[in-house]
Amino acid sequence: MNEVVKLMNNTLPVSAYLAQISESLATNNNLVLQAEPGAGKSTAVPLSLIKADFLQGKKIVLLEPRRIAAKSIAHYLAKQLGQPVGQQVGYQIRNESKTSKDTRLEIVTEGVLTRRLQQDPELSDTGLLIFDEFHERSIHADLALMLALEAQEAYRDDLKILVMSATIDTAQISAYLHHAPVIKCPGRSYPVSVEYFGKAKSTYTSQLTEQVLKALKMVLQQDKNGDVLVFLSGQGEIKRCLQAAQAAFDEQIDFLPLYGGLPLAQQELVLSASNPQRQRVIFATNIAETSLTISGITTVIDSGLAKVMSFDVKSGLQRLETTYISKASATQRAGRAGRVEAGRCIRLWSESDQQALSDYQLEEIVSANLASLVLDLSAWGVTSFAKANWLTPPPEHHFNLACQLNIALGLMEKDNKISALGSQALALGVEPRLATMLLSSGSKLEKSISCILAALLSERDILFNAQHSDITDRAIVLIDYLNNRQSIKGRRDINVGALTQTALLVKSFARFFNLADICQVLKPDISLALLHQHVGRLLLIAYPDCL
């Protein structure tokens, strides 16, 4: 361990705790690490453990809640070892993997681990699972931790689990992990002054762009050196504010976006070292709250908003809703301004509104569609609400609705046991409705069109600020792109990052069905009438309850 640690920055606060963390994992199966922002937990901890004796030659799997964080951390850690990604440090995310037989530390997203556990409950090649940024409490993280803990108890009494975060209920997590020990580590940050600059309710309206520009004007007049990080709720808000700022301010300032669907090259512009000759203003979603290190930030402007998935019980569908963040998230965001020197945070809401915020964000499992989770649990052998070892239980009514849907789709039997079709659906790794549509398509043409539809409905919208929701129009854009990438050249309404990921997903589905010639089946001149003929019928297979 020591020779690897030497490669890390020993001034990181967590460096003083690395030996204690290793010793605790050597004598305990489970551990909770609460490390404040700036401690270095996401980078120093996994790299320091890569050759730990308790691993017995097995690898570490580090779980990150976001694809951009998984890739960024993998590249950073590989660089610390002086190696390209894919040797000792690798990663696997949806549609993309860089690993080898030499990989000792693999960074993955949570859904990837769930698939592995379903295929190999023993995780025979893995010695340690690290759940990073667990405070985000995605439904995938909750499920993965539940299955990992059961795998540890039933198959692998030598499997180690480490849960890490800056802001979590350590008592709750420790109790869930059979009263695991807790190590608390201070962070490395400078003081951040907090100013309140308005009322949160006004940020839900068109006034948001005006408020951001007003705050930016004040900041840029007073500070000509440090970079500015602006937290917004989504891509649409980022695009509007960025365009307005470019029109309003000095050309010597770089205005950059940061969100999950952004192409890697543009992400790297933000994550690479800042240019001291040019000031940067970065407009980001909540992916910049944790995991990602953005150098040079001295000021944060926080809208106080985030987009979250909400399950509509009446329709049985999910929708994105804009909501207030929690106090914990507000603290995380403000802390981004104090990484390099004393900083400043401007909150676009009032101090009284701050007091009304919830302490922590609501766990996703409480408000999400549970269809995928229920199918995973059924495959695991958990067929009733009472049998699941919930960290935070969802509403039982939501669980029952998910069971009813999966039964209606033919993915589960009436006793909630997984069906043969359900097992095939799990292998596809998509939402149950879409998996049913894919598996129910007949001819080669139908299978090809269902691959297009499932990919479009699984990823972010490939169109920016579209005035309509016609999926056939999007299908034509995607088919043209699959046949000729130059087809989108000059189109400013295309979300290139989302389109690229969607195209990769189409190819993944095509491989599942052995459709090597999908581009021959779906030619650029495919008629609109032919698409309409199949699209409606296929979507009704996925959404039979929406008739």
Side-chain angles (χ1 to χ4, degrees):
M1 180 184 77
N2 289 335
E3 74 179 64
V4 178
V5 175
K6 289 177 183 177
L7 295 172
M8 300 301 297
N9 183 349
N10 287 326
T11 64
L12 290 172
V14 79
S15 297
Y17 294 81
L18 295 178
Q20 183 184 353
I21 292 167
S22 181
E23 291 166 6
S24 184
L25 285 169
T27 55
N28 299 277
N29 273 358
N30 306 317
L31 176 65
V32 180
L33 173 62
Q34 183 178 25
E36 295 175 5
K41 66 183 185 317
S42 301
T43 53
V45 171
L47 205 56
S48 73
L49 296 171
I50 203 169
K51 293 183 179 178
D53 290 339
F54 66 76
L55 291 175
Q56 299 179 351
K58 294 181 170 64
K59 69 180 179 182
I60 298 171
V61 174
L62 170 64
L63 284 88
E64 290 293 337
R66 302 174 190 278
R67 286 181 282 193
I68 183 174
K71 292 180 69 171
S72 174
I73 290 173
H75 280 87
Y76 176 81
L77 294 182
K79 185 177 179 180
Q80 302 306 302
L81 296 176
Q83 300 174 353
V85 173
Q87 292 190 12
Q88 283 198 76
V89 178
Y91 70 86
Q92 183 179 355
I93 59 177
R94 189 177 196 174
N95 302 323
E96 191 175 346
S97 176
K98 282 194 177 183
T99 61
S100 69
K101 60 181 178 59
D102 299 319
T103 300
R104 312 308 307 151
L105 171 59
E106 186 179 6
I107 297 94
V108 305
T109 43
E110 294 140 342
V112 171
L113 177 61
T114 301
R115 298 278 78 77
R116 287 188 189 178
L117 281 161
Q118 295 284 21
Q119 295 164 7
D120 175 22
E122 294 186 21
L123 290 180
S124 51
D125 64 346
T126 303
L128 169 64
L129 298 175
I130 303 178
F131 290 75
D132 194 21
E133 307 299 355
F134 194 71
H135 69 277
E136 295 201 13
R137 293 296 302 277
S138 75
I139 194 169
H140 292 295
D142 276 22
L143 175 61
L145 184 60
M146 181 195 302
L147 300 189
L149 193 59
E150 294 196 4
Q152 183 189 68
E153 294 169 352
Y155 305 104
R156 287 281 311 282
D157 59 6
D158 62 330
L159 180 66
K160 309 290 184 176
I161 298 175
L162 170 59
V163 176
M164 307 194 303
S165 179
T167 52
I168 53 173
D169 185 339
T170 54
Q172 180 194 24
I173 304 299
S174 172
Y176 187 70
L177 296 176
H178 307 306
H179 303 287
V182 177
I183 295 176
K184 296 187 178 182
C185 171
R188 181 178 65 184
S189 61
Y190 295 86
V192 176
S193 63
V194 176
E195 304 166 40
Y196 293 90
F197 201 71
K199 296 182 179 179
K201 63 181 180 181
S202 66
T203 62
Y204 281 104
T205 70
S206 59
Q207 295 179 35
L208 175 59
T209 302
E210 296 172 14
Q211 282 191 289
V212 169
L213 291 184
K214 185 178 177 182
L216 259 181
K217 182 178 180 180
M218 180 178 69
V219 168
L220 295 176
Q221 285 177 344
Q222 296 172 358
D223 184 357
K224 302 291 185 181
N225 298 311
D227 294 340
V228 182
L229 178 60
V230 183
F231 281 102
L232 297 165
S233 59
Q235 292 182 34
E237 293 80 3
I238 286 174
K239 187 174 182 180
R240 285 191 290 273
C241 288
L242 189 148
Q243 290 176 341
Q246 287 175 326
F249 296 108
D250 194 332
E251 293 181 358
Q252 296 304 309
I253 299 172
D254 291 330
F255 296 97
L256 303 169
L258 180 62
Y259 51 85
L262 202 64
L264 181 59
Q266 288 181 259
Q267 295 172 14
E268 289 174 345
L269 283 176
V270 177
L271 302 178
S272 60
S274 60
N275 183 349
Q277 305 303 317
R278 292 180 67 88
Q279 192 171 18
R280 300 188 306 169
V281 176
I282 298 160
F283 298 90
T285 60
N286 57 3
I287 66 170
E289 276 185 30
T290 55
S291 297
L292 300 175
T293 298
I294 306 173
S295 62
I297 300 297
T298 58
T299 300
V300 164
I301 297 173
D302 188 359
S303 70
L305 302 172
K307 280 190 168 66
V308 298
M309 278 290 185
S310 177
F311 179 57
D312 186 335
V313 175
K314 291 183 179 179
S315 68
L317 302 175
Q318 290 191 130
R319 62 172 182 268
L320 269 178
E321 291 186 340
T322 303
T323 66
Y324 294 110
I325 60 174
S326 66
K327 290 177 183 175
S329 290
T331 299
Q332 290 270 13
R333 292 181 177 189
R336 288 291 170 177
R339 292 295 182 89
V340 295
E341 60 183 70
R344 176 186 193 185
C345 175
I346 298 173
R347 292 173 172 166
L348 302 183
W349 63 93
S350 69
E351 196 164 0
S352 60
D353 287 325
Q354 169 69 15
Q355 300 307 314
L357 297 178
S358 60
D359 289 337
Y360 297 98
Q361 67 187 69
L362 192 66
E363 298 86 354
E364 187 182 12
I365 198 170
V366 175
S367 60
N369 180 354
L370 302 181
S372 292
L373 177 141
V374 162
L375 189 62
D376 271 307
L377 289 178
S378 178
W380 194 255
V382 178
T383 56
S384 70
F385 184 87
K387 289 181 180 178
N389 179 26
W390 306 110
L391 174 57
T392 299
E396 188 169 0
H397 180 52
H398 290 190
F399 181 93
N400 293 333
L401 286 175
C403 290
Q404 292 169 21
L405 173 63
N406 285 327
I407 291 170
L409 293 171
L411 305 180
M412 285 166 44
E413 308 293 348
K414 289 184 178 180
D415 58 1
N416 290 345
K417 291 182 179 178
I418 194 166
S419 66
L421 187 67
S423 296
Q424 293 180 58
L426 277 184
L428 283 164
V430 291
E431 199 266 335
R433 291 179 183 273
L434 303 180
T436 303
M437 177 187 69
L438 285 163
L439 295 169
S440 301
S441 54
S443 67
K444 184 178 286 190
L445 176 61
E446 269 201 349
K447 282 185 170 64
S448 300
I449 294 174
S450 69
C451 288
I452 294 288
L453 295 176
L456 285 168
L457 292 170
S458 295
E459 288 288 344
R460 296 175 178 85
D461 194 354
I462 64 173
L463 300 182
F464 276 127
N465 301 323
Q467 301 302 309
H468 62 84
S469 57
D470 190 337
I471 196 168
T472 309
D473 283 356
R474 289 162 171 80
I476 291 172
V477 171
L478 180 53
I479 291 168
D480 287 348
Y481 179 76
L482 286 168
N483 283 278
N484 177 18
R485 291 191 174 190
Q486 296 302 311
S487 65
I488 63 169
K489 190 174 182 180
R491 289 195 56 172
R492 302 187 67 179
D493 62 327
I494 300 291
N495 184 337
V496 178
L499 182 59
T500 302
Q501 288 297 322
T502 304
L504 288 172
L505 196 53
V506 170
K507 293 175 182 177
S508 174
F509 294 148
R511 285 193 296 272
F512 183 88
F513 290 114
N514 295 316
L515 290 172
D517 58 345
I518 188 169
C519 288
Q520 292 298 317
V521 179
L522 297 173
K523 296 180 180 179
D525 58 353
I526 189 170
S527 72
L528 190 60
L530 184 59
L531 275 178
H532 277 305
Q533 178 184 337
H534 292 280
V535 166
R537 194 187 74 79
L538 288 168
L539 290 177
L540 280 176
I541 294 173
Y543 300 92
D545 48 340
C546 293
L547 277 171

